[in-house]
Amino acid sequence: MNPADSPAGDRPRRLRPSRLADGLGLDLLLYGLSAIFAGVTAATSTLLPHRAWGAVAAPGYLLATLAVLGQLLLRRHPDRRATLTGVPARAVLTVVTWATTAVLPMLWQAVERAAGRTDRAQEEVIVVEQAGSRLIDHGTPYLGHDAIAALPPGEQLLGYLPYQPGMALFGLPRALAGIAWWTDARVWFALFTAVVLAAAATLLWSHRAARPAVVRAVQLATVLPVCALTLATGGDDLPVLALCLLALSLCAAGRPGRAGLTIGLAAALKLFAWPVALVLLVHAATRGRRTAGRLAAGALGLPILAVLPALVIDPGALAENVVRFPLGHGLVTSPAQSPFPGHLIATAVPAGRTIAAALLVAAGVAIAVRLVRRPPRRVADTATICGYGLLAAILLMPSTRFGYLLYPVALLAWAYAVRRAEPRPEPTPRPPIR
């Protein structure tokens, strides 16, 4: 008999990887591979902060792997299965694993750095802390071209702040209270990320059907090595990512005003949030002018308010840091040179930088055309467009980092979680046929 003709009850259920052992199969794969990655990083990385992260994180991932193996064994006992192997138990293990593989290595490095170690933080931590000091002293976190040129050659890179002015706020604790482990900018990156990400997950957690997807999405935004390593050694991308995810959750919950303020705050920290803000505005426009206006007020207003003081005090310094340096026209070049297609084309092909820029623009135009022709009516579709759009940008930018992949990975995982929680929009009524 043809399987298609069999009764519905006799049809074999398609086995999805995400449902393997109620999600524990992928948990085991995630933690096991992460333990291997951390161990290899600890043994082979040429970056000392990365090696320090791997040495502390590898045991944390290994413990998580053993815990999942225990959960798989407990599945044979129906009386313990729901409590110790269900979605809440997996969520608790995710939080504990994040603490041992991201927060603990970060605190360890912050303590050693406060004690005098100079190899326990990446450059962006120092840059943000110095920006906080300049914000207090001069009212702007940026140094002008001449001021950067006057620095010793080895310190000119640290003189640049290629972020939006709001990022300097994370450097204020060290500027105000001096050197201590708790004034390390990474401590505040982690605290802010934890609060914002918890709020984003809580909004989706109220939908029971979305809970397994929420756990998976949180895992990919926290314990995935690219995220845990970034938080422990640098960390400036995690608050931006968490705010983007919260903005999407707020939109799914029907709170466009708060979503606008949230994505506006992210855009006041880093340029990576701007594409997400633009796509959210297109989505809000499908819900009516009032919804779009409420979201736009925060999404556009906060970044403008954040940049105004720096623009008034020294517009040349703002342009030098936020425009010229990222485009490769600063006094020094960015160390972000991961071997993605855009970087390889820019460095190995004649007129490669122009070609890479043209490809990047072409990708942006393609996404813009898609938004105009088929604006996303669902927040899940909005997150999906943001994820793939940022992935294309990261792959095609002449100067980029492997760690930036945390944005598309987390956004695409969050899209799936939002899809499980978001009600389907009512279909647009078609005009009657005359």
Side-chain angles (χ1 to χ4, degrees):
M1 183 175 64
N2 191 332
D5 299 330
S6 63
D10 296 337
R11 292 177 186 173
R13 296 180 62 185
R14 287 168 48 184
L15 180 61
R16 296 182 181 179
S18 60
R19 294 179 179 175
L20 183 61
D22 293 332
L24 293 175
L26 282 185
D27 287 355
L28 182 65
L29 186 65
L30 171 64
Y31 295 138
L33 292 178
S34 298
I36 295 173
F37 177 87
V40 172
T41 301
T44 64
S45 178
T46 58
L47 301 174
L48 294 180
H50 289 202
R51 297 189 68 167
W53 167 80
V56 180
Y61 284 124
L62 181 59
L63 289 175
T65 304
L66 295 176
V68 176
L69 287 173
Q71 288 178 314
L72 289 170
L73 293 175
L74 288 173
R75 281 172 51 83
R76 301 179 180 179
H77 302 277
D79 56 328
R80 302 178 183 177
R81 179 172 176 175
T83 303
L84 299 178
T85 69
V87 175
R90 293 176 54 223
V92 171
L93 181 58
T94 298
V95 174
V96 173
T97 304
W98 185 64
T100 57
T101 62
V103 178
L104 179 60
M106 179 271 296
L107 292 176
W108 190 293
Q109 294 195 34
V111 170
E112 291 192 329
R113 180 176 175 233
R117 290 288 297 265
T118 59
D119 58 354
R120 287 296 179 261
Q122 292 187 168
E123 292 87 351
E124 54 262 39
V125 179
I126 303 171
V127 166
V128 170
E129 291 171 353
Q130 291 180 350
S133 298
R134 291 195 292 269
L135 183 63
I136 293 176
D137 296 337
H138 307 295
T140 175
Y142 301 113
L143 288 177
H145 179 277
D146 294 341
I148 296 174
L151 296 173
E155 298 179 12
Q156 288 180 351
L157 177 62
L158 299 179
Y160 279 99
L161 178 70
Y163 312 131
Q164 298 303 290
M167 190 65 74
L169 297 177
F170 291 99
L172 292 180
R174 179 146 296 198
L176 295 172
I179 297 176
W181 69 266
W182 61 270
T183 64
D184 193 297
R186 289 170 294 182
V187 174
W188 299 95
F189 289 148
L191 181 61
F192 186 88
T193 299
V195 172
V196 174
L197 193 56
T202 300
L203 286 171
L204 302 182
W205 191 261
S206 59
H207 302 270
R208 184 176 295 273
R211 290 179 181 178
V214 172
V215 172
R216 183 70 67 217
V218 171
Q219 286 176 335
L220 296 181
T222 56
V223 300
L224 191 71
V226 67
C227 297
L229 172 61
T230 298
L231 180 66
T233 60
D236 58 283
D237 287 296
L238 273 302
V240 182
L241 173 64
L243 286 168
C244 291
L245 301 182
L246 177 57
L248 291 166
S249 296
L250 287 168
C251 276
R255 303 174 186 177
R258 297 182 184 182
L261 291 172
T262 301
I263 196 62
L265 179 56
L269 297 179
K270 206 165 187 180
L271 287 173
F272 267 108
W274 288 25
V276 180
L278 292 176
V279 180
L280 277 174
L281 284 171
V282 175
H283 161 74
T286 66
R287 303 296 179 91
R289 292 183 179 180
R290 183 177 179 182
T291 299
R294 292 173 63 187
L295 192 140
L300 302 179
L302 274 181
I304 292 174
L305 289 176
V307 81
L308 273 179
L311 185 62
V312 172
I313 294 173
D314 194 340
L318 176 66
E320 178 70 21
N321 286 262
V322 180
V323 179
R324 291 181 57 82
F325 178 74
L327 293 178
H329 299 296
L331 292 170
V332 291
T333 58
S334 172
Q337 298 180 355
S338 295
F340 289 140
H343 175 70
L344 295 177
I345 293 172
T347 56
V349 176
R353 186 169 289 273
T354 302
I355 296 173
L359 291 173
L360 186 60
V361 171
V365 170
I367 295 172
V369 170
R370 195 274 186 201
L371 290 173
V372 171
R373 297 185 62 182
R374 294 175 54 197
R377 298 191 64 209
R378 301 188 67 187
V379 179
D381 296 332
T382 303
T384 301
I385 294 172
C386 292
Y388 284 120
L390 284 177
L391 177 61
I394 291 166
L395 294 179
L396 294 175
M397 286 191 300
S399 298
T400 186
R401 284 183 175 176
F402 179 79
Y404 292 157
L405 289 176
L406 62 89
Y407 286 99
V409 169
L411 284 167
L412 292 174
W414 210 260
Y416 180 69
V418 171
R419 194 177 302 278
R420 301 299 300 272
E422 184 182 17
R424 288 186 175 274
E426 296 182 1
T428 303
R430 295 182 177 180
I433 300 176
R434 296 180 181 179

